[in-house]
Amino acid sequence: MDLLIWLIIIPLFTIFSIGIFNYINKKFVLPVVFTSAILQSGIAIYYIINRNNLLPQLYNVGNWQRDIAINLSIDNFTLVIFVLIAIMPLLSLLYSITEIQRKPAKFYLLINVLLLGASGMVMTADLFNFYVFFEIASISSYALVAFRDEDISLEAAFEYLIIGSIGSVFLLLGIVLTYQATGTLNMAMIPGRMAEIPVITRQVLMSLFIIGLGVKFALVPLHAWMPDAYQGSPISYIVLSSGLVVNVYFFVLVRILFIFFGVEFFQETIFTNLIVGWGVLSMLFGHGAALQQDNLKRLFAYSTIAQLGYVIIAFGLGTEAGIVAGSFHLISHALLKGAIFFTAGNLHKATGSYQIREMKGMAEKMPVMSIIFVLMLIAMVGIPPSNIFVSKWLILSAAVEAGYLLPAFMIVFGSFLSLGYYLRPVITIYTGYTGFPGKLPLLKFNEYFPTLLLAGICLIIGLFPGYILNIIDTAPEFLLEQSNFIIHILGG
Amino acid sequence: MILLYPTIVLLICMGLYTVLTQTNMIKIIIGISIVESSIILLLGAMAYFPGAAAPVLDHPFELVADPLPQALGLTAIVINASTTAIMLALVIKLHNRYDTLNIHEIKKLRG
Amino acid sequence: MPAITMNPGFILILVGILSIFMKNNKQRFILSMAGLATSLFIILGLPEGERLLTFVFLDFEIILLEVDVISRNIALVFVIFGAGAFIYSYKFCKKKEFPLVNFYLGFSFMILFVGDFISFFVAWEIITVSAFFLIYDINDAVRQHTAQYYILMHVSGGLMLLWGIILHVTESGSIILTMPERGLIFFLISIAVKLAFVGVHTWLPRTYANIPFHISVILSAFTSKIGVYGLYRIIELDNMLIAYFGAFSAILGVILAMTHSDIRKILSYHIVSQIGYMIIGIGIGSELGIVGGSFHIINHILYKGLLFIMAGTVIYSFGYENLENLGGLWKKVPITFVTSLIAALSIAGFPFFNGYLSKTMIKHSTDNQIIYYGMMIAGIGTALSFIKIMYFGFIREGNNPPMKKKPLFSMRVSMVFLAGIMMTMALLPEQMESLFNISTGINYFSAYEVWNGVQPILIGLALFPILQKTIEPHPEQPIEPDFYCDICNSFIEFDNKVSKIHTGDMVRYVSWVLFALVLLLLNFYVTSLF
């Protein structure tokens, strides 16, 4: 069954139906949105469950020859993102029902555009298509950042837009120059021809791809938009962004680098050291900047930057263990960070502010949410039995095995820094303060359910990491061996 | 033809220079448009070689320009147009809120 | 009697979960005591030397149950002291404290019996976290600060342990709890933090002197002893260097103790010092040394716990704990006086009390003169500071602090219970030796040994009038800033400066993007030259 094309058709169809139903009868918008979200999750789950007999799968749009056609493909590495596609959008939409009171139809529309772009980017095996999906996702992101229509959201959106445009210009330049150098945009045909062009040209192309996509997943020093954008945008979007979209950009960069240039090329040109060092820089900078934040959303944005630093280190090692560890951390961070953002949003309901110092004494008002929040923050440091502990264990042992002792030690140091800043909200929330303004806010089902579900999933993954490891343990096959990917796309 | 590629590089640099030095938001947007347009120019230049016909295959031909960069260029134009539209929309909104077009006066987010 | 093969820690963790749903303190108390009784029953029936309850996690074999003589004996004394502490404190415990104490105890039990590094680390970290929540208090800024200090200190230690484990596991490919093949220093740092070795001991007096007395009783008995137990598990060779460090810790601990006046601060610094004895025993590494060290753990849990109970009772009855404000208490709280006198004589190593037995064992385990005189000096210091507590607190006439509340019946019961256990142990040395499957042949009650044991105390008594000026009680601050606070503050200051680069200026951010691109290209260009 070629279900994968439906991951693009369903959101596309939903976009138009939202517009129509919003015009006819607003009651139908929500059912349509949720039907489509459930269908998308269902498709992702279907592929995850039947991964052994379905994968790798190729869908040839328009049935052209494989070398000139637009190919959509799913292989075992794609499943890393499919795990997130199965979980995050549905919960994010669920949470947005109460959060987005103003113009909900537009919000759902933009979210679906974003999902369309994200799924497209993950599945496409063609650079042209990839660029189109990339821009689709980017433009909807810009609009979503501005969605709350406050001063700061507009400012953040403009900033994101300018930095993002500069990034996508370089990405386009990279794609154009790749075409110039290799004469094709089919991702499976590029690696063969790439090997023939001069090393320095390949390095220039690599730099353009890294900068173009690095802007989007907030590689330090291209990260500046992220805290600002998160501070200004709704929680539902932040969860989707840090839980799915940012990871998709990173995923695509990894795929491009590994497939186009190959691991051997990295090792020849000491690129591995560079990328591991960059990961360490990203991590330390993220943790350092988070240490003095007073705004919860900004704090977690910096923490996301730092956590992606771990993932960069793991993938930068270029070993099988590193890729598995990086994928595991990508997933477990996305899930836990999603839960943390939801909880922060719930706590925000009582104070109306994300400033940490205004959350004083929150624990008396929302005891359950507060304790969950605290436990999740402590889990984020990597205290067992959390999923982050497992992923840190995997990353550390992969790094030590590959001989990168100093970066691995920096990961340990970074965890210590992160405890330093996670303690601050904990202590502020658990400080007695009787004159708390306002009534006790009642949480609705769709506000606490996503939080509890994600937290529960994290705990289960922490106790039984095998569930996720079974899904991703074949992922390195399609990254480290270029020929596997090429044969999968072009046929034997 | 010899001057085409240097021109493109020059245009990119000009655009980036505009983005970096101007304080007016509209001018920054113009700068970005210049960069984007220069890339589209690059796409056009890549596809063309002397004596090539347009890649419209409804009559006999010998030499045609490469259609793929042109398609990519068209797509890029559309995308650039929409980004520019969003940028301008945001500038209008920002001007309403902050009452200025000077980018240095819009600094509520920091730290 | 059918033996249940089960890690006794799980019973208490289960009790902790159940106690959340109980209605009042009495029910929670009965439940906890039932949990301890069940654990006692399980511990007595555990088979020795087998690796049980194994399962696979991340390709490694987790061993949840591996018993040896020492872990079983320590567990037995954990049960005894746990019971004493529960009897003592159940009337003061708040609702949240029962589950936390049970988790804390449960993971402390668990760590004694696990046989692999992953579960060791898990228990190690959860002990820290549950202690953090026990120390933390919503309405008390001092306790919040203390808790923050505690968790930062212990988690940095825990991360060191993780790092050491990673180094060891990648080198050896196995996670069985044993002497590490690589990264021993990181294990030692981690353990040093947990057992409050001199230099990283700062969390200990700060914590135990600032939390409510019933919690300090529980925390002081277990936390650092788990560190010593960890040391015992990972050091298998004899290592005189570690023994020297132990002697150093023992001496410095008592010197620091003598300069303080809060009872609980003195006791805390004495933990640092007493831990030194245990390190000496384990560092010497002979069978007698290890048994002496772990026997000292057992004795220490009992008498130090009893002393903390005494401190708690004094605070409960009089409201003060600084010796400056106390005096002449022996008439008002006679039971407390007698039991704490027993504990003080024990800790000073007076013959016919239980500290004497383990100190003698450690002394007999080596001929090293440095260690011998080190222990002698530490013994003198111990004697001095307990003479100080007893004299200024209980015997001195002068201040007559009014008694606010009479000690509760439950408090007195627990004191008598623990003192009775200690005296039983002290008077039955052969039975204690057989509990450790060892026969030393030391005649503990011969005149020679007794004279050796009394010496430091007599010297202490002689020195006390001379040094009285310097060790006179004085008022104290609850929190003293130290070296680690300074490091943290300067780091945060530096960090604030660095974070100021996010000025909100968009042009600056765009220039970073271009700068990164140029730097990347430059890097490739430069590397291509070579």
Side-chain angles (χ1 to χ4, degrees):
Chain A
M1 274 243 291
D2 289 328
L3 274 175
L4 74 178
I5 186 69
W6 288 93
L7 272 182
I8 293 171
I9 294 175
I10 291 171
L12 202 57
F13 186 72
T14 317
I15 294 164
F16 292 109
S17 1
I18 289 172
I20 294 165
F21 282 122
N22 193 36
Y23 186 72
I24 301 168
N25 188 342
K26 288 195 169 58
K27 269 185 204 161
F28 292 122
V29 172
L30 221 51
V32 168
V33 169
F34 277 92
T35 318
S36 95
I38 289 168
L39 283 177
Q40 291 177 58
S41 294
I43 293 172
I45 290 170
Y46 175 77
Y47 275 106
I48 291 168
I49 291 172
N50 298 316
R51 58 185 179 277
N52 289 331
N53 37 13
L54 282 180
L55 297 183
Q57 198 179 32
L58 185 79
Y59 184 82
N60 198 330
V61 182
N63 267 331
W64 295 83
Q65 279 170 293
R66 278 180 168 193
D67 53 343
I68 55 171
I70 295 167
N71 296 314
L72 298 178
S73 87
I74 300 182
D75 57 40
N76 294 24
F77 184 44
T78 322
L79 287 182
V80 177
I81 297 297
F82 267 40
V83 173
L84 300 179
I85 291 183
I87 300 171
M88 303 310 289
L90 193 57
L91 294 182
S92 162
L93 284 169
L94 199 60
Y95 191 82
S96 70
I97 295 176
T98 41
E99 198 197 5
I100 309 295
Q101 296 293 352
R102 205 175 56 85
K103 299 180 185 164
K106 276 190 186 169
F107 183 80
Y108 299 136
L109 195 147
L110 285 167
I111 287 282
N112 271 292
V113 179
L114 188 63
L115 287 178
L116 165 71
S119 320
M121 269 195 284
V122 174
M123 293 192 295
T124 186
D126 179 277
L127 275 184
F128 190 153
N129 253 302
F130 160 67
Y131 176 67
V132 174
F133 286 126
F134 172 88
E135 286 292 356
I136 288 175
S138 303
I139 291 173
S140 55
S141 294
Y142 305 142
L144 280 166
V145 170
F147 195 82
R148 270 174 57 201
D149 203 20
E150 290 169 6
D151 291 1
I152 50 168
S153 359
L154 294 173
E155 183 189 333
F158 189 69
E159 188 183 306
Y160 184 20
L161 189 44
I162 298 292
I163 299 177
S165 303
I166 299 283
S168 55
V169 162
F170 287 127
L171 181 71
L172 182 58
L173 192 59
I175 292 172
V176 170
L177 293 181
T178 308
Y179 182 71
Q180 176 85 309
T182 61
T184 178
L185 286 178
N186 188 325
M187 280 166 78
M189 289 168 73
I190 290 172
R193 304 192 190 177
M194 193 64 101
E196 294 159 13
I197 63 178
V199 172
I200 193 79
T201 318
R202 278 190 269 170
Q203 285 174 335
V204 169
L205 291 178
M206 205 149 78
S207 316
L208 288 170
F209 281 121
I210 290 174
I211 297 296
L213 283 159
V215 164
K216 292 294 178 177
F217 66 84
L219 185 63
V220 170
L222 324 174
H223 66 282
W225 62 270
M226 195 185 224
D228 293 358
Y230 280 16
Q231 190 177 348
S233 47
I235 288 283
S236 325
Y237 164 71
I238 300 177
V239 170
L240 204 56
S241 167
S242 85
L244 175 64
V245 183
V246 166
N247 301 326
V248 167
Y249 291 120
F250 181 75
F251 167 90
V252 172
L253 179 66
V254 167
R255 164 149 282 170
I256 285 179
L257 290 183
F258 275 83
I259 296 292
F260 285 6
F261 304 98
V263 191
E264 295 81 14
F265 180 68
F266 301 154
Q267 277 147 9
E268 280 163 27
T269 53
I270 52 170
F271 180 68
T272 332
N273 292 349
L274 177 78
I275 212 78
V276 170
W278 207 340
V280 171
L281 175 79
S282 212
M283 175 193 80
L284 289 182
F285 191 91
H287 282 318
L291 207 53
Q292 48 80 45
Q293 272 312 320
D294 192 48
N295 187 302
L296 265 188
K297 279 173 160 179
R298 283 182 85 84
L299 190 147
F300 291 128
Y302 281 121
S303 141
T304 301
I305 292 168
Q307 299 291 332
L308 280 164
Y310 294 125
V311 183
I312 294 166
I313 294 171
F315 276 96
L317 299 172
T319 61
E320 197 168 321
I323 291 170
V324 171
S327 312
F328 193 91
H329 191 65
L330 200 73
I331 294 170
S332 50
H333 162 248
L335 298 176
L336 190 53
K337 195 48 82 56
I340 288 178
F341 271 122
F342 282 142
T343 323
N346 288 341
L347 292 176
H348 162 82
K349 283 194 67 143
T351 50
S353 162
Y354 283 103
Q355 297 302 113
I356 292 174
R357 70 178 108 83
E358 283 174 35
M359 294 200 159
K360 212 172 173 188
M362 187 74 96
E364 285 168 25
K365 287 283 167 186
M366 301 175 121
V368 179
M369 273 300 149
S370 303
I371 193 76
I372 290 174
F373 191 58
V374 169
L375 290 179
M376 283 190 305
L377 290 185
I378 290 177
M380 201 76 203
V381 181
I383 306 280
S386 69
N387 50 355
I388 300 291
F389 164 65
V390 178
S391 60
K392 278 195 179 149
W393 175 280
L394 292 172
I395 294 175
L396 281 173
S397 47
V400 172
E401 257 168 42
Y404 288 92
L405 285 179
L406 189 66
F409 189 75
M410 282 296 147
I411 293 179
V412 174
F413 178 66
S415 307
F416 177 66
L417 282 186
S418 70
L419 178 68
Y421 61 80
Y422 290 140
L423 274 183
R424 230 149 25 84
V426 171
I427 285 178
T428 321
I429 288 171
Y430 278 87
T431 295
Y433 181 64
T434 42
F436 203 81
K439 272 199 327 195
L440 190 76
L442 273 178
L443 288 181
K444 298 199 179 81
F445 171 77
N446 64 340
E447 284 172 322
Y448 64 77
F449 175 72
T451 319
L452 297 182
L453 185 68
L454 278 182
I457 292 174
C458 290
L459 186 66
I460 289 169
I461 294 175
L463 293 174
F464 308 101
Y467 289 134
I468 295 294
L469 283 173
N470 280 341
I471 298 175
I472 60 175
D473 59 359
T474 45
E477 284 174 23
F478 284 83
L479 277 184
L480 293 176
E481 292 292 322
Q482 290 159 294
S483 55
N484 278 346
F485 183 78
I486 296 168
I487 292 170
H488 161 50
I489 302 287
L490 294 180
Chain B
M1 272 314 283
I2 298 165
L3 283 178
L4 194 52
Y5 288 99
T7 314
I8 290 163
V9 173
L10 190 71
L11 275 175
I12 293 179
C13 291
M14 268 170 64
L16 291 176
Y17 181 78
T18 318
V19 174
L20 288 181
T21 52
Q22 292 302 318
T23 54
N24 189 314
M25 287 193 281
I26 303 281
K27 289 182 182 166
I28 289 176
I29 295 172
I30 291 173
I32 287 181
S33 297
I34 292 173
V35 183
E36 284 170 343
S37 309
S38 60
I39 303 236
I40 293 161
L41 191 60
L42 174 66
L43 278 165
M46 269 168 56
Y48 178 76
F49 45 88
V56 183
L57 309 182
D58 56 350
H59 55 82
F61 57 89
E62 284 179 351
L63 277 174
V64 282
D66 189 352
L68 200 142
Q70 299 192 347
L72 193 51
L74 286 174
T75 317
I77 290 169
V78 174
I79 288 169
N80 293 347
S82 44
T83 3
T84 314
I86 295 188
M87 280 182 202
L88 290 170
L90 279 174
V91 168
I92 293 169
K93 284 256 182 191
L94 281 171
H95 186 256
N96 288 344
R97 298 293 173 85
Y98 289 78
D99 216 12
T100 176
L101 280 179
N102 186 340
I103 192 73
H104 292 304
E105 287 171 25
I106 302 178
K107 275 188 191 172
K108 278 193 182 169
L109 294 163
R110 60 175 74 191
Chain C
M1 188 166 80
I4 307 168
T5 46
M6 165 70 133
N7 193 323
F10 298 152
I11 303 289
L12 289 174
I13 297 165
L14 187 71
V15 166
I17 295 168
L18 287 178
S19 65
I20 298 171
F21 305 104
M22 293 288 147
K23 281 201 201 82
N24 55 38
N25 266 8
K26 204 162 206 167
Q27 286 182 358
R28 295 190 200 107
F29 170 67
I30 292 167
L31 186 72
S32 308
M33 291 304 273
L36 281 173
T38 321
S39 320
L40 182 65
F41 174 71
I42 292 173
I43 291 166
L44 289 174
L46 284 178
E48 268 174 39
E50 289 173 57
R51 290 186 171 144
L52 297 164
L53 296 182
T54 58
F55 65 94
V56 174
F57 179 83
L58 288 178
D59 306 336
F60 296 115
E61 194 186 27
I62 303 282
I63 302 158
L64 284 182
L65 190 61
E66 190 189 11
V67 189
D68 65 6
V69 179
I70 287 175
S71 64
R72 199 189 57 199
N73 288 338
I74 296 177
L76 283 176
V77 80
F78 272 20
V79 170
I80 293 169
F81 186 77
F86 269 122
I87 296 171
Y88 175 74
S89 61
Y90 80 96
K91 289 215 166 127
F92 313 110
C93 273
K94 290 182 197 149
K95 196 183 162 202
K96 72 155 193 179
E97 285 166 358
F98 261 101
L100 283 169
V101 168
N102 275 311
F103 285 139
Y104 178 80
L105 279 179
F107 283 100
S108 304
F109 273 98
M110 180 181 155
I111 208 169
L112 294 176
F113 293 112
V114 295
D116 68 288
F117 273 123
I118 290 185
S119 33
F120 187 81
F121 178 74
V122 170
W124 187 272
E125 289 288 61
I126 296 180
I127 289 171
T128 304
V129 174
S130 47
F132 168 77
F133 287 116
L134 275 174
I135 298 166
Y136 195 87
D137 183 70
I138 281 192
N139 295 316
D140 187 344
V142 174
R143 276 174 73 185
Q144 289 174 4
H145 189 273
T146 311
Q148 194 175 2
Y149 194 92
Y150 181 90
I151 197 172
L152 283 173
M153 210 67 178
H154 277 254
V155 166
S156 58
L159 289 169
M160 283 296 158
L161 181 65
L162 177 65
W163 176 242
I165 292 172
I166 293 280
L167 286 179
H168 165 71
V169 170
T170 44
E171 181 78 16
S172 68
S174 137
I175 57 162
I176 290 170
L177 190 58
T178 174
M179 173 106 180
E181 289 175 21
R182 186 157 65 143
L184 181 65
I185 181 71
F186 297 106
F187 287 90
L188 291 181
I189 293 172
S190 167
I191 285 167
V193 173
K194 197 74 158 189
L195 55 70
F197 189 76
V198 170
V200 281
H201 67 281
T202 44
W203 60 268
L204 193 144
R206 186 185 280 254
T207 305
Y208 295 165
N210 287 326
I211 51 181
F213 55 86
H214 61 282
I215 297 174
S216 65
V217 167
I218 289 159
L219 288 186
S220 66
F222 298 111
T223 314
S224 42
K225 279 42 144 213
I226 288 158
V228 181
Y229 176 76
L231 187 69
Y232 155 68
R233 286 308 292 265
I234 67 153
I235 304 290
E236 285 180 348
L237 306 169
D238 58 330
N239 199 332
M240 275 326 269
L241 191 65
I242 288 178
Y244 291 142
F245 274 121
F248 176 67
S249 188
I251 296 171
L252 213 62
V254 286
I255 292 173
L256 287 169
M258 276 190 286
T259 58
H260 283 80
S261 312
D262 277 358
I263 296 180
R264 285 191 297 175
K265 275 202 175 144
I266 297 176
L267 296 179
S268 305
Y269 281 109
H270 263 286
I271 294 180
V272 176
S273 156
Q274 295 291 310
I275 296 281
Y277 284 98
M278 305 167 200
I279 298 173
I280 292 173
I282 287 163
I284 287 168
S286 63
E287 199 188 3
L288 187 60
I290 289 177
V291 168
S294 40
F295 191 28
H296 202 65
I297 297 179
I298 289 172
N299 290 333
H300 182 238
I301 289 170
L302 293 170
Y303 57 66
K304 189 49 65 66
L306 188 49
L307 286 167
F308 265 100
I309 287 178
M310 176 271 283
T313 314
V314 169
I315 295 168
Y316 176 79
S317 298
F318 299 95
Y320 300 113
E321 64 168 320
N322 194 316
L323 290 173
E324 205 186 14
N325 307 320
L326 298 172
L329 302 188
W330 69 276
K331 279 177 287 185
K332 293 174 182 162
V333 280
I335 294 176
T336 315
F337 172 63
V338 172
T339 48
S340 57
L341 191 64
I342 291 172
L345 287 171
S346 286
I347 196 171
F350 195 79
F352 311 109
F353 291 93
N354 66 349
Y356 167 69
L357 301 183
S358 46
K359 280 190 183 177
T360 313
M361 272 191 199
I362 296 171
K363 267 183 202 161
H364 273 269
S365 63
T366 181
D367 306 330
N368 192 312
Q369 290 298 305
I370 299 175
I371 302 281
Y372 181 80
Y373 286 108
M375 282 174 69
M376 186 78 164
I377 296 170
I380 296 169
T382 313
L384 263 177
S385 44
F386 281 93
I387 295 167
K388 176 179 175 178
I389 291 185
M390 286 297 146
Y391 175 73
F392 287 108
F394 288 86
I395 299 167
R396 170 176 69 153
E397 298 293 336
N399 305 17
N400 251 338
M403 181 146 93
K404 289 175 187 157
K405 283 176 274 188
K406 235 172 116 56
L408 296 174
F409 179 67
S410 59
M411 296 164 110
R412 282 177 280 163
V413 166
S414 72
M415 283 189 275
V416 172
F417 168 68
L418 290 171
I421 299 257
M422 276 164 57
M423 289 316 293
T424 320
M425 285 168 67
L427 298 174
L428 298 170
E430 279 78 27
Q431 280 76 357
M432 296 320 294
E433 283 183 6
S434 68
L435 206 57
F436 281 100
N437 291 341
I438 192 174
S439 173
T440 56
I442 303 169
N443 187 1
Y444 293 99
F445 303 131
S446 69
Y448 173 74
E449 299 290 349
V450 169
W451 169 241
N452 258 345
V454 175
Q455 260 176 5
I457 296 164
L458 292 181
I459 298 173
L461 270 176
L463 285 176
F464 185 68
I466 305 169
L467 292 175
Q468 199 173 1
K469 281 264 156 59
T470 50
I471 56 178
E472 193 125 64
H474 54 88
E476 293 207 52
Q477 297 294 321
I479 292 179
E480 291 150 3
D482 61 19
F483 173 67
Y484 298 103
C485 293
D486 291 345
I487 292 184
C488 271
N489 287 336
S490 51
F491 184 80
I492 288 171
E493 220 164 82
F494 165 76
D495 192 76
N496 279 340
K497 274 183 195 144
V498 172
S499 305
K500 289 282 186 305
I501 58 171
H502 298 96
T503 53
D505 186 354
M506 198 200 67
V507 174
R508 174 185 284 229
Y509 299 159
V510 173
S511 67
W512 289 353
V513 175
L514 300 178
F515 179 68
L517 179 63
V518 171
L519 216 61
L520 197 54
L521 291 173
L522 210 65
N523 167 63
F524 283 136
Y525 178 68
V526 171
T527 50
S528 72
L529 290 181
F530 302 109

